[in-house]
Amino acid sequence: MNENYPFNEIENKWQNFWDGNGDFQTDLATAENPYYCLMMFPYPSGKLHVGHGRNYIIGDAVARYKKMQGFDVLTPMGWDAFGLPAENAAIKTGTPPAEYTVANIATMKEQLRAWGCMYDWDKEVTSCMPDYYKWTQWLFIQFYKKGLAYKKNSNVNWCPSCATVLANEQVVDGVCERCDSEVDQKAMEQWFFKITDYAQRLLDDLEKLDGWPERVKTMQKNWIGRSEGTEVDFKIVPRENGEKDHIDHVTCYTTRVDTIYGCTYMAVAPEYSELKNLIKGLPQEQEVLEFIKESSKLTNLDREADEVEKAGKFTGRYLINPYNGEKIELWVGNYVLMYGTGAVMAVPAHDTRDFSFAKKYDLPIKLSIQNQESSLVLEEMEDAYTEDGICVDSAQFSGVDNREAIQQMTTYAEEQGFGRGTVNFRLRDWLISRQRYWGAPIPVVYCDDCGVLPVPESDLPVLLPTDVEFKAEGESPLKGSDSFMNCTCPQCGKAATRESDTMDTFVDSSWYFLRYLSACDDFQAVNTAIANKWMPVDQYIGGIEHAILHLLYARFFTKVIKDLGLINFDEPFGQLFTQGMICKKGPDGNLYKMSKSKGNVVSPEELLQKYGADTVRLYTLFIGPPEKEAEWQDTGVEGAYRFLKRIWRRVALNHSILEEVKEKMPDLSSMADAERDLYRKTNETIQQITRGLDGAFTFNTAIAAIMELMNAIDQLKIAEDSSESAKIVFRDAIESVVLLISPFAPHIAEELWVELGHDAGIMNADWPTVNEEALKRDEIELVIQVNGKVRDKIKVSAEASKEEIEEKAMSAEKAQQWLEGKTIRKVIVVPGRLVNIAVS
RNA sequence: GCCGGAGUGGUGAAAUUGGUAAACACACGGGAUUCAAAAUCCCGCGACUUCGGUCUUGUGGGUUCGAGUCCCACCUCCGGCACCA
């Protein structure tokens, strides 16, 4: 056996072997012990760098580990293949998106293979292929039939650079999450999914997700943004000239109805639907219209900046507060959002925004909540009092605790019929229309006579045309394809037109985990029996950047698909693991997430050639806790390489010893001390790693533990003339190292496994188990502390009683020096750990 | 402002959940081997020290025989939400 570690010879060999052996192909129907290990499928952007690799390496390690534990592991892989980069490439180079995408997939598939990440390619899904998007379209139609897909005209986020609309989730700090262009507001007719119908369930079911990171659940909770409050109808004071209005009241939403006796005006959003009607013909009309126009010019960015000066106009109309009959002014304010009802009752004394607005426009301020000390004096207030307290000047509610008053006053409003308790969500419906080519066409037809009609299921898929011109303009390229646009009405047979928008790519990725389970099924989207058997996914692995978008949409889809009766579970992912990003210092010396634009990518090719896949894998897992960000350091790779070389050498140099060992593990009692120590260390390592890997992903410490075991193996100093039992213990330790490291560095493990005389296919070997007997110690080292400081160490028998330990500790030589002349006040004996002597 | 997470050597980090702080590595320094280099092996590596020790887990208090870990107050950083009424 060559003593130099020949990674370049063995890695490809074993990758071929795994393929040929079908080790990663899983029979979904017959598997008895299913374990679904899923990695977020990538967008085929071209090339993966080592930062991307973390996701797949972690996933592969989990899959191999679970396989060795006897599970029937399913690890599929696919491609989130629709999306803008392919289309932009088409605009730039003229390469059709399909061609570009297919080429990238081929490259990335090779890269995954070169990393030793093996998948069940029989179940590959590619979201841009007709056999996939047919079923995406089918699901759209089911959503449509259930009233969960609808079209409406509304203000939407428009990215001028991407030339398409965006979902709220895709707008980050007022800019497009993809290209960082400032997003405009534009009124357009667009398709939406009614995710708001599922807001409560999406919120409630977060409770069930014990295997999800807390921070992801919190992010989703914030995003859904539930708030409980009260709607109150304020009657509009009729016009003096007797003219009628369309409406007779304005409804506001508040979470603080307890402060309503302090309400001194009402403010509506500039976009408030009835506003223009309410001001028609009034002297204030022009001024207010002007104001509305000004406000609409404010971009998202301006609105989100804290500095935006609150501004507003009196509309000329008045309302009646139904609780006390007071007449108040109706204002329009730029600080009021179209949230709730778009109208807010203003209580300057108890809301900081209303306070500054009232001060600016000299509106009245009334105190209606008093603090516990009754120390609030209106004239002295410099800001609103927003804490809890006691209602004052609030008619029959005066003296009531304000939290209690919310209940009482809501009930009162319901009894009187001018208000009601209600719940509001921050979550908006999901805008899925995209004015782009490279996505699944929305399967809808417009007929002049019959209106909007879904494409009949038998006509699916609605194929993307190829006779299109790619341009970065504001219209879908599909509009330019006559062959696509012109069709017949499925109902009346007359000429009709197709919808030219395509679906957001997040629609594709919201159900791909179900499609892996029926990848080749031409007759149905979801195989119910198989899905119920394999889902929810046991372990999902991906980046934290999907905490809201993808993970929320996938949960929504799962719930809808359950309601369609196709599956019997309502959460898609049991355990979720979000790995941290890999960063590297850029040319400017700052640390960035690895990306082309920062010029700090490390591509795997060079590393694989220099060190091999196992080294890259081992370093990636050893770099730090996998859920945290990590800084890539090239010298660290060297360290991983050194360790693998060391394992290899230890086997190669002792090959004959390892080969000649045939005997079984001898009795513990017949082992020399050094042998027992190593045998114990081997079992401790197995225990530690297994505990770490179950539930948590402590790869970094698992690898450290294997390194420690290697250090212990070297302590034994095995040689040809060592005793038979030493050789057995040595071999057992080496074999354990090979098994334990195999999920992380599978190629070297396979090779050494065979060198140790086993059949090829280490992933089908059993994960090592702990011999409890071996863990026991005859003698234990105890620390002796005096007043909590370590002063001495003693060795005692493992069976020693507390009394014996105490006695031995007290007489320990060094401890004695610290006890001299002191009064012993207390002695604490912690068996197996330490003795602490408290003196004064 | 609200919510979540973190702060430990030159660096990445460990610490059986209240029990020897710094495991395992990286970097660095010294030595062996070598004509030389690479590779490999051995030793050292928190700070101060009068070589007895003393101090040390963001800061300050507290609980405890004992605190990186628990409690209180504060500081800093990261992430999410945010004019949401």
Side-chain angles (χ1 to χ4, degrees):
Chain A
M1 196 181 160
N2 186 345
E3 81 177 74
N4 293 316
Y5 164 42
F7 62 86
N8 45 2
E9 284 167 35
I10 63 173
E11 293 193 343
N12 196 37
K13 175 178 106 187
W14 286 110
Q15 286 158 20
N16 286 333
F17 173 82
W18 296 327
D19 273 345
N21 233 20
D23 277 321
F24 290 86
Q25 267 125 290
T26 310
D27 188 323
L28 298 176
T30 60
E32 283 171 5
N33 210 359
Y35 187 91
Y36 192 169
C37 177
L38 181 69
M39 282 142 262
M40 289 183 185
F41 69 161
Y43 175 77
S45 56
K47 261 191 168 183
L48 298 166
H49 56 64
V50 293
H52 297 125
R54 199 179 203 184
N55 184 237
Y56 310 105
I57 291 166
I58 290 172
D60 195 61
V62 171
R64 288 173 187 271
Y65 171 62
K66 287 291 165 185
K67 212 169 170 86
M68 291 175 80
Q69 283 191 323
F71 288 96
D72 295 307
V73 177
L74 171 66
T75 38
M77 186 46 68
W79 313 97
D80 189 11
F82 273 137
L84 267 180
E87 195 167 343
N88 290 338
I91 293 167
K92 231 176 170 174
T93 67
T95 318
E99 216 170 280
Y100 169 91
T101 304
V102 167
N104 285 347
I105 288 174
T107 309
M108 286 168 67
K109 221 170 180 175
E110 261 319 299
Q111 283 189 300
L112 290 174
R113 188 187 147 87
W115 263 318
C117 296
M118 304 303 282
Y119 303 99
D120 186 345
W121 290 113
D122 290 352
K123 299 170 182 67
E124 179 178 11
V125 300
T126 307
S127 64
C128 67
M129 296 297 182
D131 65 352
Y132 185 88
Y133 71 72
K134 171 183 178 176
W135 298 111
T136 307
Q137 292 172 335
W138 183 84
L139 283 167
F140 174 92
I141 290 167
Q142 311 314 308
F143 277 54
Y144 181 82
K145 286 182 183 162
K146 275 185 85 83
L148 291 170
Y150 68 95
K151 204 174 188 189
K152 75 168 177 194
N153 197 315
S154 72
N155 267 329
V156 296
N157 306 302
W158 176 264
C159 173
S161 155
C162 297
T164 186
V165 298
L166 301 172
N168 287 338
E169 287 81 354
Q170 288 163 323
V171 181
V172 180
D173 295 334
V175 303
C176 171
E177 61 141 8
R178 174 178 296 285
C179 69
D180 287 344
S181 311
E182 200 173 304
V183 172
D184 300 333
Q185 295 296 303
K186 213 170 165 180
M188 289 176 79
E189 178 133 49
Q190 297 284 299
W191 282 97
F192 288 84
F193 278 159
K194 219 169 179 187
I195 192 170
T196 51
D197 272 10
Y198 284 73
Q200 190 64 54
R201 275 169 72 185
L202 287 166
L203 182 67
D204 291 344
D205 289 353
L206 286 172
E207 302 291 327
K208 292 188 201 165
L209 300 175
D210 295 331
W212 280 41
E214 211 50 53
R215 63 172 167 162
V216 174
K217 290 193 274 186
T218 310
M219 280 157 84
Q220 293 214 350
K221 213 167 168 177
N222 287 342
W223 189 260
I224 296 168
R226 183 183 200 270
S227 88
E228 272 177 43
T230 314
E231 278 181 9
V232 183
D233 306 332
F234 282 56
K235 282 247 174 329
I236 300 168
V237 176
R239 293 168 183 250
E240 281 172 12
N241 62 10
E243 271 178 42
K244 289 268 182 244
D245 287 293
H246 293 79
I247 50 169
D248 68 346
H249 68 269
V250 172
T251 303
C252 69
Y253 171 74
T254 179
T255 54
R256 289 294 305 274
V257 70
D258 54 313
T259 64
I260 201 164
Y261 284 85
C263 171
T264 54
Y265 68 99
M266 168 122 33
V268 294
E271 305 90 345
Y272 191 74
S273 56
E274 286 297 327
L275 181 55
K276 285 179 183 169
N277 290 329
L278 286 173
I279 57 170
K280 197 156 275 171
L282 297 182
Q284 287 87 350
E285 183 174 6
Q286 271 319 308
E287 218 183 329
V288 173
L289 286 175
E290 197 81 2
F291 179 80
I292 294 172
K293 215 167 150 192
E294 283 296 306
S295 306
S296 70
K297 274 193 205 149
L298 286 177
T299 61
N300 270 11
L301 259 192
D302 298 332
R303 274 202 156 191
E304 278 176 24
D306 287 339
E307 294 82 48
V308 171
E309 175 76 17
K310 287 187 183 29
K313 291 283 176 207
F314 174 48
T315 61
R317 302 303 302 260
Y318 294 89
L319 305 168
I320 302 295
N321 180 342
Y323 280 88
N324 57 12
E326 261 176 40
K327 185 173 160 187
I328 57 167
E329 294 182 351
L330 177 67
W331 283 63
V332 53
N334 66 350
Y335 71 102
V336 183
L337 306 174
M338 278 309 295
Y339 166 80
T341 62
V344 294
M345 65 175 216
V347 185
H350 304 297
D351 183 285
T352 51
R353 296 155 302 184
D354 299 343
F355 188 88
S356 57
F357 193 84
K359 282 281 176 197
K360 179 170 175 180
Y361 292 105
D362 208 18
L363 290 157
I365 301 176
K366 263 175 72 183
L367 200 70
S368 63
I369 303 288
Q370 182 55 266
N371 65 13
Q372 295 299 331
E373 299 80 33
S374 291
S375 59
L376 288 176
V377 180
L378 189 59
E379 291 70 29
E380 291 167 8
M381 284 172 74
E382 283 174 8
D383 200 351
Y385 176 76
T386 56
E387 308 292 305
D388 289 337
I390 304 295
C391 294
V392 292
D393 294 328
S394 301
Q396 69 266 40
F397 304 103
S398 296
V400 178
D401 177 272
N402 78 305
R403 290 286 139 193
E404 172 60 27
I406 291 176
Q407 306 300 324
Q408 291 185 15
M409 290 164 86
T410 303
T411 308
Y412 178 71
E414 281 165 355
E415 285 165 3
Q416 301 293 314
F418 61 71
R420 59 218 70 88
T422 183
V423 170
N424 259 298
F425 292 93
R426 214 190 66 97
L427 184 70
R428 302 279 88 130
D429 275 341
W430 174 14
L431 167 50
I432 59 148
S433 291
R434 295 293 179 274
Q435 289 71 49
R436 300 302 302 233
Y437 168 79
W438 195 230
I442 294 175
V444 164
V445 167
Y446 301 99
C447 170
D448 285 343
D449 295 339
C450 310
V452 184
L453 293 166
V455 171
E457 290 173 21
S458 55
D459 290 353
L460 295 179
V462 176
L463 287 171
L464 275 173
T466 49
D467 58 338
V468 293
E469 195 191 330
F470 297 106
K471 48 184 194 218
E473 304 286 309
E475 279 203 331
S476 168
L478 293 180
K479 272 210 167 143
S481 166
D482 293 341
S483 66
F484 177 82
M485 291 303 288
N486 300 327
C487 62
T488 52
C489 172
Q491 202 160 291
C492 69
K494 280 194 220 153
T497 321
R498 286 197 193 279
E499 168 64 60
S500 63
D501 284 352
T502 53
M503 284 187 247
D504 180 6
T505 56
F506 278 99
V507 178
D508 311 325
S509 57
S510 293
W511 73 285
Y512 76 106
F513 42 88
L514 287 167
R515 191 58 186 168
Y516 282 137
L517 303 171
S518 56
C520 301
D521 193 331
D522 290 337
F523 300 100
Q524 52 187 349
V526 177
N527 180 322
T528 300
I530 296 286
N532 289 344
K533 173 177 175 179
W534 284 86
M535 292 284 293
V537 166
D538 291 276
Q539 182 66 60
Y540 197 27
I541 303 164
I544 185 72
E545 66 273 20
H546 295 106
I548 297 174
L549 284 159
H550 162 61
L551 290 171
L552 188 66
Y553 295 151
R555 294 182 59 223
F556 165 56
F557 257 63
T558 302
K559 290 177 194 307
V560 176
I561 293 170
K562 186 197 177 193
D563 292 349
L564 288 170
L566 297 175
I567 51 178
N568 68 3
F569 50 91
D570 51 17
E571 282 292 334
F573 314 123
Q575 295 277 129
L576 171 70
F577 182 82
T578 53
Q579 85 273 3
M581 283 189 281
I582 301 255
C583 303
K584 195 173 194 300
K585 286 214 174 97
D588 61 359
N590 293 324
L591 203 59
Y592 297 109
K593 153 191 182 189
M594 231 178 239
S595 80
K596 253 188 236 164
S597 60
K598 297 286 186 214
N600 61 348
V601 291
V602 176
S603 38
E605 281 70 29
E606 202 185 315
L607 289 174
L608 292 183
Q609 211 177 3
K610 199 166 165 196
Y611 304 108
D614 283 338
T615 294
V616 175
R617 290 172 64 116
L618 196 71
Y619 174 62
T620 301
L621 294 170
F622 188 59
I623 195 167
E627 69 279 5
K628 279 176 63 177
E629 274 188 11
E631 186 187 344
W632 186 272
Q633 268 161 341
D634 294 326
T635 50
V637 183
E638 199 88 38
Y641 183 52
R642 266 204 289 272
F643 181 59
L644 291 179
K645 280 197 289 188
R646 192 171 151 214
I647 297 175
W648 181 273
R649 216 178 309 116
R650 206 56 74 241
V651 174
L653 295 177
N654 298 291
H655 201 248
S656 56
I657 294 174
L658 290 163
E659 256 184 336
E660 86 193 38
V661 172
K662 293 284 181 275
E663 298 297 310
K664 280 173 57 181
M665 188 61 68
D667 240 33
L668 286 166
S669 55
S670 65
M671 286 184 194
D673 285 351
E675 295 159 19
R676 264 209 75 168
D677 286 346
L678 177 56
Y679 187 50
R680 184 186 307 111
K681 184 73 186 176
T682 302
N683 281 277
E684 281 172 354
T685 307
I686 295 167
Q687 183 179 55
Q688 191 194 332
I689 293 178
T690 310
R691 275 187 188 163
L693 258 37
D694 280 335
F697 281 169
T698 53
F699 302 115
N700 52 331
T701 50
I703 292 165
I706 300 173
M707 289 171 168
E708 274 190 70
L709 178 55
M710 274 308 287
N711 291 344
I713 288 173
D714 287 357
Q715 293 283 306
L716 190 67
K717 301 208 184 343
I718 199 77
E720 286 294 344
D721 57 358
S722 296
S723 71
E724 184 64 18
S725 67
K727 288 176 179 172
I728 297 170
V729 169
F730 172 74
R731 189 189 149 97
D732 173 69
I734 289 282
E735 216 160 68
S736 301
V737 165
V738 170
L739 285 165
L740 292 170
I741 210 167
S742 70
F744 316 138
H747 311 85
I748 190 175
E750 283 281 13
E751 187 73 18
L752 295 179
W753 189 241
V754 171
E755 289 291 350
L756 289 168
H758 298 282
D759 291 338
I762 193 168
M763 80 192 64
N764 298 313
D766 290 336
W767 186 254
T769 51
V770 178
N771 176 355
E772 297 288 339
E773 279 301 301
L775 296 176
K776 289 187 182 154
R777 288 166 188 273
D778 301 331
E779 257 194 349
I780 298 172
E781 191 181 63
L782 290 184
V783 163
I784 300 173
Q785 296 181 334
V786 178
N787 283 347
K789 290 201 163 65
V790 180
R791 297 303 185 190
D792 206 347
K793 286 170 188 179
I794 53 167
K795 282 195 170 160
V796 296
S797 151
E799 280 96 50
S801 66
K802 277 197 175 190
E803 289 70 29
E804 287 173 84
I805 292 171
E806 185 172 333
E807 198 192 316
K808 200 159 178 190
M810 300 300 278
S811 57
E813 198 184 325
K814 278 197 215 151
Q816 281 288 312
Q817 297 169 19
W818 292 92
L819 299 176
E820 232 175 73
K822 303 280 170 66
T823 320
I824 293 168
R825 298 177 48 207
K826 203 170 180 182
V827 180
I828 287 99
V829 179
V830 184
R833 291 237 170 260
L834 51 73
V835 180
N836 190 9
I837 305 162
V839 301
S840 58

